[in-house]
Amino acid sequence: AYFAGGCVRDALLGIEPKDYDIATNATPETVQSIFRKTIPIGIQFGVIQVRYGGEGFEVATFRTDGGYTDGRRPDSIVFSTAQADVERRDFTMNGLLFDPVSERLLDFVEGEKDLKKGLIRAIGNPLERIKEDRLRMLRAVRFAARFQFEVEAKTMAALVEFASSIGQVSMERVREELFRTFREGGEDGFLQASTKVPIAVMARPLSSSTTSKSTSTAEPAPAPAPAALTDVIPNTKTKVKTKTKRQSK
């Protein structure tokens, strides 16, 4: 089991994570058998919420996604490996895994390098990533506003390509993403993001709301056995915050 995504990204940037997601090879049924309090919030996608110490931890089984007919959720999933799970995610900076037991950062997509460069880069084929879920266009805007990062050229081209199809995303999801953009980046951050992302990407959802790094497939070097779920969830904040800081030095 590994810490995954935003909590690893934020810790490497020196930001206190607001929540902690966990990726594991344990099946949802196994997760439910290990912990006393669980909620099957997305069991059809391999996601279980574990309640521990008064907090909720989203635990997701490593998976590969099928097609995205509705442009939002995968039509099917297959449980897979840590690397395959990372390669289905949106941006390289969100594709980092961290093993709190061996204190090892797993980076299959050069996410740490893009973090250091201040670059928002889609994992794999940018056109495919955006086509799978059009909301990822606004997520790119939000990250640009929050972190003052640049959008990588091919990823930017994909945003422009699909900008006119933002209407396929429900207005509720668009509004929530825009609210998060202003909340996390503030007015200044949003205005700064508008200089980094084509106005076509931002104008469509804004007007609608008023009317209603190269992928690396190399296998990681042999390492100690990954952490078990029971090692990851207890003392989560201390482990992520302190150990990723040492890892990044």
Side-chain angles (χ1 to χ4, degrees), residues 159-225:
L159 301 187
V160 174
E161 175 81 15
F162 285 103
S164 63
S165 66
I166 192 67
Q168 295 182 20
V169 182
S170 71
M171 189 49 57
E172 291 74 20
R173 296 181 76 207
V174 169
R175 285 194 183 116
E176 175 60 25
E177 198 64 32
L178 289 174
F179 288 151
R180 292 186 68 181
T181 299
F182 280 106
R183 186 168 64 244
E184 295 176 6
E187 182 179 352
D188 290 344
F190 189 83
L191 292 174
Q192 288 275 351
S194 69
T195 68
K196 304 171 187 294
V197 180
I199 193 64
V201 177
M202 303 173 70
R204 287 295 289 266
L206 282 171
S207 61
S208 298
S209 64
T210 58
T211 59
S212 58
K213 282 167 171 170
S214 63
T215 301
S216 172
T217 57
E219 291 293 329

Side-chain angles (χ1 to χ4, degrees), residues 67-96:
Y68 283 72
T69 302
D70 66 357
R72 178 180 180 182
R73 298 187 181 95
D75 299 331
S76 62
I77 66 164
V78 176
F79 294 145
S80 58
T81 64
Q83 181 168 341
D85 186 77
V86 164
E87 290 172 348
R88 71 172 176 83
R89 296 172 182 255
D90 55 4
F91 305 112
T92 59
M93 64 180 184
N94 296 331
L96 296 163

